[in-house]
């Protein structure tokens, strides 16, 4: 099916306002894999209309990060969306989203100070600002976000609650490759050897789940084993944290429902992953 694209805010706002029924919104930075497309599928299962945005947001990249080289292929992205009943693809550019003399930012305090926020201190301000702007433009009933970026999901939920935004935030399951590697646009950066190493992030999470199943609940013992697996795989660790799934605060004991969050580098590529303890 031919996908209709929109590049202006007034046109996008008008098109969305004319829909009858529930609107689902999937914000993305493009370079689609099955993880992105699963969000589209989730929207279509519960909404009457689906809008997808593609925008590589410069505000969420810090100095020296991969903004310039971030993978892009809008033509192929739109081709992939052609298999779905997507109503519109919103394609804003930097001049549209951050016009000259732009001065307004949306920040969520505290839960952005640790985990990814510690090593990427300006990241979440960029994320919350762009998501708030997109929600104001499209005014959807539901926004669909992947659980791979788990901290981002919790931060956006907090922003929506605190600002009384009239949208439901839907977290969708993390999608993995056949070997367990979490799907990510950044996987493109990995050499064959780096990719083989990266699979051990998921292996370490599964080992943690197995330890819990055997009755080992001490967080320090579990994180020590995760660290061993990652270091033995020549991965550079950013963080390993066992957290409350709602507050993201560290837990000293594993329990059902808590999350193990990992950020690690395979070569120069920073990868994130997480697993819910069941």
């Amino acid at each position: 099916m031919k996908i209709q694209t929109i590049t202006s805010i007034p046109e996008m706002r008008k098109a969305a306002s004319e829909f009858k029924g529930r609107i689902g919104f999937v914000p993305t930075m493009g370079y689609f894999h099955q993880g992105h497309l699963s969000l589209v599928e989730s929207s279509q299962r519960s909404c009457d209309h689906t809008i997808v945005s593609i925008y590589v947001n410069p505000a969420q990249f810090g100095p020296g990060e991969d903004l310039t080289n971030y993978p892009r292929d809008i033509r192929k992205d739109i081709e992939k969306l052609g298999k779905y009943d997507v109503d519109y693809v919103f394609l804003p550019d930097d001049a549209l989203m951050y016009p000259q003399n732009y001065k307004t930012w949306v920040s969520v305090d505290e839960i952005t100070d640790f985990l990814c926020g510690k090593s990427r201190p300006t990241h979440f301000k960029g994320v919350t600002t762009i998501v708030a702007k997109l929600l104001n433009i499209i005014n959807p009933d539901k926004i669909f976000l992947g659980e791979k970026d788990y901290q981002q999901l919790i931060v956006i939920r907090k922003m929506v609650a605190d600002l009384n935004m009239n949208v439901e935030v839907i977290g969708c399951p993390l999608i993995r490759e056949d070997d367990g590697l979490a799907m990510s646009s950044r996987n493109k950066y990995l050499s064959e050897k780096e990719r083989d190493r990266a699979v051990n992030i998921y292996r370490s999470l599964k080992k943690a789940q197995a330890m819990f199943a055997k009755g080992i609940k001490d967080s320090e013992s579990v994180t020590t084993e995760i660290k061993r697996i990652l270091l033995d795989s020549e991965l550079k660790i950013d963080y390993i944290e066992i957290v409350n799934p709602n507050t993201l605060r560290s837990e000293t004991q594993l329990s059902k429902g808590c999350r193990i969050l990992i950020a690690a580098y395979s070569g120069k590529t920073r990868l994130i992953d997480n697993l819910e303890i069941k």
Side-chain angles (χ1 to χ4, degrees):
M1 114 178 235
K2 182 173 175 58
I3 300 292
Q4 296 187 66
T5 61
I6 293 177
T7 58
S8 83
I9 290 174
E11 186 182 354
M12 184 70 262
R13 185 170 280 144
K14 181 177 184 295
S17 70
E18 291 175 348
F19 283 138
K20 305 296 183 185
R22 295 166 298 180
I23 301 173
F25 173 49
V26 180
T28 81
M29 294 205 300
Y31 210 73
F32 291 164
H33 50 67
Q34 189 54 44
H36 297 106
L37 299 176
S38 72
L39 303 180
V40 177
E41 292 168 355
S42 295
S43 175
Q44 294 193 329
R45 282 195 295 267
S46 62
C47 297
D48 303 293
H49 303 282
T50 295
I51 296 172
V52 176
S53 67
I54 301 175
Y55 177 58
V56 180
N57 176 30
Q60 66 192 69
F61 289 78
E65 292 187 345
D66 56 344
L67 172 60
T68 302
N69 296 322
Y70 191 84
R72 297 165 170 86
D73 194 336
I74 289 178
R75 183 194 60 79
K76 187 172 287 187
D77 288 341
I78 292 175
E79 183 179 303
K80 289 180 179 180
L81 290 177
K83 300 176 183 178
Y84 300 88
D85 189 19
V86 172
D87 293 89
Y88 294 107
V89 178
F90 185 39
L91 300 171
D93 60 19
D94 293 346
L96 196 68
M97 302 312 287
Y98 301 105
Q100 189 173 3
N101 204 35
Y102 186 87
K103 298 295 183 183
T104 303
W105 302 95
V106 178
S107 296
V108 177
D109 292 341
E110 295 184 8
I111 59 172
T112 60
D113 293 339
F114 44 87
L115 299 171
C116 287
K118 184 175 181 180
S119 56
R120 306 180 72 193
T122 63
H123 171 70
F124 285 113
K125 182 176 76 170
V127 170
T128 46
T129 298
I130 197 64
V131 171
K133 288 170 69 69
L134 290 168
L135 290 175
N136 281 336
I137 293 165
I138 295 168
N139 194 27
D141 296 279
K142 298 182 181 184
I143 180 173
F144 295 83
L145 303 168
E147 290 185 349
K148 183 178 78 72
D149 298 283
Y150 193 78
Q151 185 177 15
Q152 174 179 282
L153 172 64
I154 299 305
V155 168
I156 290 175
R157 278 185 175 153
K158 182 62 173 168
M159 176 190 75
V160 164
D162 285 356
L163 297 182
N164 306 111
M165 293 178 166
N166 189 27
V167 63
E168 183 180 359
V169 180
I170 307 295
C172 300
L174 186 158
I175 305 298
R176 299 185 181 279
E177 304 285 357
D178 291 341
D179 59 6
L181 181 65
M183 288 189 178
S184 170
S185 299
R186 288 187 167 93
N187 290 348
K188 175 181 183 292
Y189 301 149
L190 299 170
S191 68
E192 185 176 350
K193 182 178 289 188
E194 289 167 349
R195 195 189 182 290
D196 289 343
R197 292 170 179 164
V199 172
N200 289 291
I201 299 174
Y202 181 57
R203 186 168 71 86
S204 74
L205 289 168
K206 294 296 286 183
K207 180 61 180 292
Q209 177 70 69
M211 291 174 72
F212 177 74
K214 292 179 179 178
I216 301 172
K217 298 181 180 180
D218 175 61
S219 292
E220 186 174 354
S221 298
V222 173
T223 55
T224 296
E225 178 60 13
I226 292 173
K227 183 177 181 180
R228 183 194 67 77
I229 293 171
L230 298 183
L231 293 179
D232 284 352
S233 307
E234 299 182 49
L235 297 169
K236 178 184 175 184
I237 298 167
D238 184 349
Y239 63 75
I240 305 165
E241 293 288 345
I242 297 170
V243 303
N244 178 287
N246 300 310
T247 66
L248 301 180
R249 291 298 180 183
S250 296
E251 298 278 9
T252 59
Q253 295 285 309
L254 269 74
S255 59
K256 286 186 178 181
C258 72
R259 289 264 173 175
I260 305 177
L261 274 60
I262 294 175
Y265 289 86
S266 186
K268 295 181 179 180
T269 304
R270 185 178 184 275
L271 303 171
I272 58 174
D273 203 343
N274 70 86
L275 188 73
E276 179 184 8
I277 292 298
K278 297 180 179 179

